[in-house]
């Protein structure tokens, strides 16, 4: 432990640099990627590692994101640890392959830099890209800052490749806000990462030519359902594995991770639920409110797939009112994606708090302490029946 | 270490590799990701029952040119030591390509309706 | 190579697949696999070949095989080849392995063209085989950009006003050759010797290689199952599907049909052109097709002789 600390070094890095450093240490055999703002820096840095001979990775400079994930799938199935990275429309272009990577049970790890989906085109942060992909069968981990992006990527390899799981993982960070913001990031020694993640395992490697297998066959009415049922089971099992890996990582770094993070929730009467970088600002607001004697707390969802419904139910059932903040709209008229799921998670709890939705920050619209504070104060005024007046409230939009 | 030995070392007990896939297998008993963990399992699937006509081979006429072997889409013609041994009808769909590609002057294959009993068709059947 | 010798090696694609009786592509697969000397890993685009040969839990492939989607087999195999290159460089694998991507004309001429172009440009050492059956046959015979002019398909039907497909097929082999890859060729499963020889060259090429192989679809073409080989041969004889190769940029004709074989004769063998002959013959339309075939042929001959 002590030795470990000595070897750990701190560097001022952008989120993209932190992600690229994590990738360098994961040292995949193959990276196939296509540039897209705001992820571009990751692929630029990685190409430099390759061309400077720092890594033994084969870099496939594909002609599109669809091919990026297709090539990554081919490489992972061949028996090589493989990664790609993307953002926004790039993720949308991969859509078909997202489901296939998960259905084939390939343990691919992919950083996604969150950016609003077109149209109209916009290059800044919101979560419309990854939120839309939440039912693709990938594990989804959201990062609050560059340090978490780095930590999550390394843990993701262990989670993805766990023999009980064998699922792809996307690890996200907010575009520009984290990806281009500079922070002090603690990096593990290369050796520690190598030991932590271990060797790549995929039991049906195509390159194991003495044992020919058929990957990706046509499965019909008689088997498809069973394959999907097994896939669903792996997602559920991932909860335990994520917690175990998070704890082990904590022993290595003093930063342990869970499915959610509760902040000042012990005696909280009101709670905000957030994901990603907004959690940082929201914690600051909670502290201010606490100073004013207001009993506020915060729940940050780190893992969105598998969805930590039980944990959320436990933590939120003690409060009077919950404000769920969504950086994406589902255009359903019933709020954003996180709201719908949090609200569903609260259905089974004995004491059901008031629960409303704030949609905010679309297309990179700034979300400062004032806006978060206004939402926090807003939920305090909720009374029985008052949610239905306006269940979904847009925060920071010009009327 | 070669990839194959490496892969083998990584195999875990609960990953089903060589177990045959049972038609009524529950979801826990199937290899992950719908992988078919062995090659050539269609050997157990018979397409011969699609057939309404069957090739009848005359070994005495055959010049062993192997055109039937080559152009049969269902890999039915059996060859050993460069000699045609016969046709295995297990998967023969009765397309008639073999009879058609057999050199006109040789005419060692004829297509007969499925219900007629003929000899020399069996090969290894 | 004589045929009986070819049969000495076990075929890594077996029966029990569910392609129609008399289907052309299993023949294409057989000839190509027999030409491979190294162990092969096969990638396949969605299409007839994939769905009929891998119906779970039955697979007809006795080599490593992967299918992931329709438009991306070139990218998928790029990834496999990259994995191989990486592991080889790291000393974790030592065998020589050959990588083959199979796609139909839909998966190659149309939806997979971008992935193919990308893979060729990047220079992955793989052999891409387009089994061209001139249409989207797996989904029930729709036109593709490889479908010949005049063909009746479900999306270019022989209507009262419009007699089948109006466009001539895209010249994919030339498009592929324009990538400057070491080897590209056009062949037909009816000409096993030609295809076998070209497959050998493709496997030996120092970089990506491409084979465009005419593979009869008797269902979509409206031919009797036993005529599968003959009808592909007719396409070659009529010069509608010339056999040629482009080796390191050099164009070379592989076969010059001896006799004049009118396209009309080839068309009249197939149900998909029936409307051009019945109830009355559409002379002008057929003549137009003939003159286009002649012009394309002459252009090809010029190109090939200019090179030699
Ligand atoms: S009839 Fe067709 S399937 Fe049967 S042996 Fe002849 S070529 Fe093969
Ligand atoms: S094609 Fe005819 S002659 Fe040739 S090997 Fe087959 S049966 Fe014999």
């Amino acid at each position: 432990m002590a030795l470990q600390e000595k070897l750990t070094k701190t560097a001022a890095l952008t989120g993209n640099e932190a992600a690229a450093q994590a990738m360098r240490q994961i040292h995949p055999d193959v990276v196939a990627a296509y540039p897209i703002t705001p992820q571009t820096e990751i692929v630029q840095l990685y190409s430099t590692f390759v061309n400077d001979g720092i890594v033994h990775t084969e870099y496939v400079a594909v002609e599109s994101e669809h091919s990026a994930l297709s090539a990554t799938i081919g490489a992972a199935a061949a028996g090589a640890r493989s990664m790609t990275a993307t953002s926004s429309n790039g993720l949308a272009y991969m859509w078909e392959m997202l489901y296939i990577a998960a259905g084939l049970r390939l343990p691919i790890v992919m950083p996604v830099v969150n950016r609003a989906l077109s149209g109209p085109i916009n290059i800044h942060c919101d979560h419309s890209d990854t939120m839309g992909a939440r039912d693709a069968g990938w594990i989804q981990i959201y990062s609050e800052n560059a340090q978490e992006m780095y930590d999550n990527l390394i843990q993701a390899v262990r989670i993805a490749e766990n023999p009980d799981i064998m699922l792809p993982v996307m690890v996200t960070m907010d575009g520009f806000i984290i990806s281009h913001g500079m922070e002090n990031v603690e990096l593990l020694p290369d050796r520690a990462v190598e030991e932590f993640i271990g060797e790549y395992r995929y039991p049906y490697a195509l390159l194991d030519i003495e044992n020919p297998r058929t990957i990706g066959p046509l499965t019909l009415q008689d088997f498809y359902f069973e394959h999907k049922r097994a896939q669903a089971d792996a997602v559920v099992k991932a909860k335990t594995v994520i917690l175990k890996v998070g704890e082990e990582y904590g022993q290595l770094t003093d930063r342990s991770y869970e499915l959610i993070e509760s902040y000042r929730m012990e005696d909280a009467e009101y709670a905000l639920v957030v994901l990603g970088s907004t959690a940082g600002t929201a914690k600051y607001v909670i502290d201010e409110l606490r100073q004013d004697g207001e009993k506020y707390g915060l729940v940050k969802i780190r893992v969105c797939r598998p969805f930590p419904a039980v944990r959320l139910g436990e933590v939120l059932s003690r409060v009077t009112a919950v404000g769920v903040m969504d950086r994406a709209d589902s255009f359903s008229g019933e709020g954003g994606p996180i709201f719908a799921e949090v609200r569903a998670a609260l259905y089974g709890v004995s004491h059901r708090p008031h629960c409303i939705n704030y949609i905010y920050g679309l297309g990179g619209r700034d979300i400062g302490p004032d806006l978060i504070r206004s939402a926090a104060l807003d939920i305090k005024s909720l009374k029985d029946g008052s949610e239905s007046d306006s269940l979904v409230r847009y925060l920071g939009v010009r009327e | 270490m070669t990839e194959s030995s490496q892969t083998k070392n990584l195999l875990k007990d609960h990953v089903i590799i060589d177990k045959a896939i049972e038609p009524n297998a529950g979801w826990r008993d199937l290899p992950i990701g719908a992988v078919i963990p062995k090659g050539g399992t269609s050997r157990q699937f018979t397409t011969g029952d699609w057939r309404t006509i069957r090739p009848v081979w005359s070994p005495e006429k055959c010049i062993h040119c192997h055109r039937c072997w080559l152009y049969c889409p269902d890999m039915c013609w059996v060859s050993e030591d460069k000699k045609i041994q016969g046709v295995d009808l297990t998967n023969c769909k009765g397309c008639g390509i073999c009879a058609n590609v057999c050199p006109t002057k040789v005419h060692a294959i004829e297509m007969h309706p499925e219900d007629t009993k003929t000899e020399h068709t069996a090969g290894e059947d | 190579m004589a045929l009986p010798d070819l049969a000495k090696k076990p075929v890594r694609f077996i029966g029990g697949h569910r392609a129609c009786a008399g289907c052309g592509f299993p023949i294409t697969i057989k000839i190509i696999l027999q030409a491979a000397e190294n162990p092969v890993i096969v990638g396949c685009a969605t299409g007839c070949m994939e769905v009929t040969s891998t119906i779970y839990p039955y697979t007809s492939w006795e080599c490593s095989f992967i299918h992931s989607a329709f438009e991306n087999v070139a990218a998928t195999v790029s990834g496999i080849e990259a994995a191989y290159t990486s592991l080889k460089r790291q000393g974790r694998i030592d065998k020589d392995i050959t990588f083959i991507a199979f796609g139909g004309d839909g998966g190659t001429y149309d939806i997979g063209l971008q992935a193919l172009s990308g893979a060729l440009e990047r220079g992955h050492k793989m052999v891409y085989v387009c089994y061209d059956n001139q249409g989207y046959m797996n989904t029930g015979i729709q036109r593709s950009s490889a479908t010949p002019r005049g063909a009746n398909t479900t999306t270019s039907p022989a209507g009262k006003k419009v007699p089948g497909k109006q466009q001539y097929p895209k010249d994919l082999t030339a498009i592929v050759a324009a990538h400057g890859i070491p080897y590209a060729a056009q062949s037909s499963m009816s000409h096993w010797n030609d295809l076998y020889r070209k497959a050998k060259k493709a496997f030996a090429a120092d970089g990506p290689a491409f084979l465009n192989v005419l593979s009869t679809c008797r269902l979509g073409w409206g031919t009797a199952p036993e005529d599968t080989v003959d009808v592909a041969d007719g396409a070659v004889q009529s010069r509608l599907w010339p056999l040629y190769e482009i080796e390191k940029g050099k164009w070379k004709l592989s076969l010059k049909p001896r006799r004049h074989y009118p396209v009309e004769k080839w068309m009249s063998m197939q149900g998909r052109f029936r409307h051009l002959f019945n109830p009355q013959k559409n002379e002008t339309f057929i003549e137009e097709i003939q003159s286009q075939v002649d012009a394309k042929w002459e252009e090809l001959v010029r190109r090939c002789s200019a090179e030699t």
Side-chain angles (χ1 to χ4, degrees):
Chain A
M1 194 59 228
L3 180 73
Q4 215 50 275
E5 266 164 24
K6 253 187 240 151
L7 294 171
T8 301
K9 67 168 190 235
T10 303
L13 299 175
T14 65
N16 277 340
E17 286 167 346
Q21 287 300 333
M23 282 174 75
R24 180 185 61 72
Q25 295 182 316
I26 292 165
H27 209 163
D29 302 305
V30 174
V31 168
Y34 189 79
I36 179 169
T37 306
Q39 155 268 36
T40 315
E41 208 181 356
I42 298 178
V43 301
Q44 286 173 343
L45 285 166
Y46 209 83
S47 314
T48 312
F49 298 150
V50 172
N51 281 8
D52 286 346
I54 293 169
V55 288
H56 59 223
T57 308
E58 184 69 11
Y59 186 84
V60 189
V62 285
E63 81 299 331
S64 72
E65 285 91 354
H66 193 282
S67 286
L69 190 50
S70 298
T72 308
I73 284 170
R81 186 175 270 145
S82 309
M83 294 181 77
T84 180
T86 194
S87 273
S88 184
N89 292 31
L91 184 71
Y93 196 21
M94 285 179 180
W95 219 255
E96 176 191 29
M97 301 318 296
L98 292 176
Y99 285 78
I100 292 168
L104 296 181
R105 306 288 297 276
L106 294 169
I108 293 164
V109 173
M110 170 166 74
V112 181
V113 187
N114 285 115
R115 161 185 153 182
L117 279 177
S118 303
I121 189 169
N122 174 290
I123 56 165
H124 292 280
C125 175
D126 70 33
H127 295 159
S128 50
D129 49 3
T130 51
M131 279 300 152
R134 69 200 189 283
D135 290 346
W138 287 55
I139 291 169
Q140 285 197 337
I141 306 179
Y142 287 76
S143 315
E144 184 185 322
N145 49 44
Q147 181 71 62
E148 284 196 11
M149 185 65 187
Y150 172 84
D151 293 343
N152 285 339
L153 275 171
I154 289 164
Q155 292 170 71
V157 178
R158 278 281 300 278
I159 298 162
E161 295 175 12
N162 181 295
D164 284 331
I165 311 304
M166 296 301 284
L167 286 171
V169 182
M170 58 177 85
V171 178
T172 83
M173 65 175 148
D174 288 349
F176 290 104
I177 303 164
I178 305 178
S179 69
H180 287 62
M182 188 77 82
E183 282 173 46
N184 276 333
V185 179
E186 239 182 54
L187 301 178
L188 281 164
D190 294 358
R191 206 41 211 286
V193 175
E194 199 184 314
E195 275 166 22
F196 185 78
I197 61 174
E199 268 193 53
Y200 178 69
R201 51 176 109 217
Y202 173 67
Y204 303 117
L206 290 168
L207 287 171
D208 177 16
I209 43 169
E210 282 92 24
N211 296 292
R213 287 116 187 178
T214 288
I215 299 178
L218 173 68
T219 83
L220 297 171
Q221 300 95 319
D222 52 351
F223 280 105
Y224 181 85
F225 203 173
E226 280 70 28
H227 295 313
K228 287 292 146 184
R229 178 67 189 84
Q231 189 183 329
D233 186 59
V235 178
V236 174
K237 282 189 182 137
K239 285 186 191 176
T240 323
V241 173
I242 293 167
L243 288 172
K244 212 180 112 238
V245 173
E247 200 187 307
E248 244 185 83
Y249 193 78
Q251 285 158 11
L252 195 67
T253 59
D254 291 337
R255 292 184 300 277
S256 59
Y257 287 89
E258 293 181 44
L259 303 174
I260 60 171
E261 181 190 328
S262 301
Y263 185 75
R264 306 193 81 162
M265 283 297 292
E266 309 75 41
D267 60 342
E269 284 170 19
Y270 305 100
L272 293 176
V273 177
V274 296
L275 281 86
S277 64
T278 310
T281 324
K283 284 173 187 168
Y284 169 81
V285 173
I286 301 289
D287 288 345
E288 276 188 343
L289 288 163
R290 284 275 177 174
Q291 266 166 23
D292 299 347
E294 306 275 8
K295 287 190 169 172
Y296 275 88
L298 174 93
V299 175
K300 178 180 87 180
I301 298 178
R302 171 184 178 237
V303 178
C304 185
R305 283 290 179 274
F307 193 72
V310 176
R311 278 295 288 138
L312 286 165
E314 282 165 13
V315 177
L316 295 174
S317 64
R318 297 192 288 262
V319 303
T320 311
V322 180
V324 180
M325 298 186 64
D326 261 298
R327 202 161 195 160
D329 202 339
S330 72
F331 307 106
S332 63
E334 287 294 312
I338 293 297
F339 175 63
E341 301 207 15
V342 170
R343 202 161 168 241
L346 293 175
Y347 186 81
V349 304
S350 46
H351 164 75
R352 224 181 275 159
H354 298 292
C355 186
I356 55 163
N357 189 202
Y358 298 96
I359 291 176
Y360 75 98
L362 300 192
R365 174 63 51 87
D366 203 22
I367 177 84
D370 289 351
L371 276 176
I372 297 174
R373 177 181 260 271
S374 73
L377 295 176
D378 190 30
I379 57 171
K380 213 180 155 185
S381 65
L382 289 175
K383 286 186 280 294
D384 282 346
S386 65
E387 288 118 303
S388 52
D389 299 345
S390 71
L391 196 61
V392 186
R393 303 174 186 194
Y394 288 82
L395 199 61
V397 71
R398 289 187 300 277
E399 293 298 333
Chain B
M1 189 159 50
T2 65
E3 181 59 16
S4 67
S5 61
Q6 184 198 343
T7 311
K8 269 184 214 126
N9 294 342
L10 294 172
L11 299 182
K12 294 279 153 186
D13 294 340
H14 63 278
V15 180
I16 300 152
I17 298 290
D18 279 333
K19 206 171 130 186
I21 296 162
E22 302 293 338
N24 290 317
W27 61 267
R28 288 179 189 83
D29 297 324
L30 296 171
I32 58 161
V35 170
I36 304 174
K38 278 182 177 178
T41 52
S42 74
R43 198 165 271 115
Q44 296 152 42
F45 189 87
T46 308
T47 52
D49 51 9
W50 297 13
R51 191 173 64 232
T52 56
I53 50 171
R54 64 157 68 190
V56 177
W57 176 59
S58 308
E60 67 287 356
K61 291 190 195 166
C62 177
I63 57 164
H64 302 281
C65 68
H66 278 68
R67 286 177 61 81
C68 54
W69 174 87
L70 183 83
Y71 285 114
C72 171
D74 296 281
M75 326 296 154
C76 300
W77 290 86
V78 182
S79 166
E80 238 167 65
D81 292 333
K82 305 206 236 173
K83 294 268 183 292
I84 294 293
Q85 306 296 310
V87 58
D88 178 348
L89 293 176
T90 315
N91 291 317
C92 167
K93 295 168 186 163
C95 67
I97 291 179
C98 52
N100 217 15
V101 296
C102 183
T104 330
K105 285 185 197 132
V106 179
H107 198 67
I109 306 170
E110 268 181 17
M111 298 305 289
H112 286 199
E114 190 43 43
D115 48 12
T116 35
K117 287 269 169 284
T118 34
E119 284 169 25
H120 301 309
T121 51
E124 290 186 338
D125 201 359
Chain C
M1 173 68 71
L3 267 186
D5 290 311
L6 210 61
K8 285 201 289 196
K9 192 168 124 186
V11 186
R12 306 289 277 162
F13 182 79
I14 67 165
H17 62 76
R18 283 170 254 183
C20 299
C23 177
F25 71 69
I27 304 167
T28 301
I29 297 175
K30 189 192 296 183
I31 299 170
I32 286 170
L33 290 187
Q34 292 313 83
E37 270 153 40
N38 297 331
V40 296
I41 297 181
V42 167
C44 192
T46 310
C48 281
M49 184 186 283
E50 172 264 328
V51 304
T52 60
S53 67
T54 68
I55 303 182
Y56 191 89
Y58 303 105
T59 177
S60 297
W61 298 89
E62 293 213 299
C63 52
S64 296
F65 174 95
I66 185 170
H67 153 259
S68 70
F70 189 12
E71 68 281 55
N72 66 346
V73 64
T76 307
V77 178
S78 295
I80 302 168
E81 192 261 0
Y84 173 74
T85 310
S86 176
L87 297 194
K88 205 160 191 185
R89 188 165 54 225
Q90 296 171 53
R92 287 164 58 193
I93 193 164
D94 48 13
K95 302 172 204 82
D96 289 324
I97 301 176
T98 291
F99 304 95
I100 309 176
F102 281 107
D105 49 289
T108 309
Y109 282 66
D110 290 346
I111 200 168
L113 186 61
Q114 175 184 309
L116 172 64
S117 176
L120 299 177
E121 183 272 331
R122 292 188 300 271
H124 298 277
K125 192 165 161 29
M126 67 161 91
V127 174
Y128 190 106
V129 181
C130 173
Y131 66 100
D132 182 349
N133 58 20
Q134 304 187 328
Y136 292 92
M137 304 316 192
N138 188 35
T139 41
I141 311 154
Q142 290 84 36
R143 60 90 84 187
S144 77
S145 62
T147 305
R149 176 159 152 103
N152 174 25
T153 74
T154 54
T155 52
S156 64
K160 291 200 181 77
K161 295 253 165 66
V162 182
K165 194 195 174 200
Q166 291 304 288
Q167 299 79 9
Y168 287 107
K170 184 191 275 180
D171 190 350
L172 182 69
T173 311
I175 293 170
V176 166
H179 288 75
I181 58 170
Y183 190 74
Q186 195 158 289
S187 186
S188 163
M189 49 110 272
S190 55
H191 290 64
W192 78 267
N193 218 327
D194 180 79
L195 178 54
Y196 181 79
R197 187 180 60 80
K198 286 173 177 169
K200 282 264 177 218
K201 283 193 179 183
F203 291 134
D206 186 22
F210 175 82
L211 300 171
N212 200 356
V213 187
L214 190 68
S215 306
T216 308
C217 168
R218 32 130 335 197
L219 196 71
W221 295 12
T223 52
E226 68 269 23
D227 291 336
T228 284
V229 181
D230 293 345
V231 72
D233 178 65
V236 175
Q237 302 303 336
S238 68
R239 301 172 178 184
L240 177 121
W241 189 261
L243 307 185
Y244 61 97
E245 61 190 346
I246 304 114
E247 203 173 353
K248 295 198 185 98
K250 264 186 149 343
W251 288 63
K252 203 174 145 208
L253 211 53
S254 315
L255 181 107
K256 214 169 197 167
R258 259 164 288 160
R259 270 184 290 278
H260 177 66
Y261 185 119
V263 182
E264 179 184 334
K265 187 175 159 193
W266 176 71
M267 291 167 77
S268 64
M269 291 164 82
Q270 305 167 59
R272 60 177 169 163
F273 298 112
R274 190 176 299 126
H275 59 286
L276 300 177
F277 298 92
N278 277 312
Q280 80 247 76
K281 198 166 149 190
N282 192 336
E283 298 274 8
T284 12
F285 197 70
I286 296 170
E287 266 166 37
E288 257 177 54
I289 293 171
Q290 182 67 59
S291 50
Q292 195 263 359
V293 166
D294 292 344
K296 283 287 285 179
W297 170 262
E298 273 154 33
E299 185 194 319
L300 178 68
V301 171
R302 261 201 309 278
R303 219 164 181 175
C304 292
S305 52
E307 297 277 348
T308 45

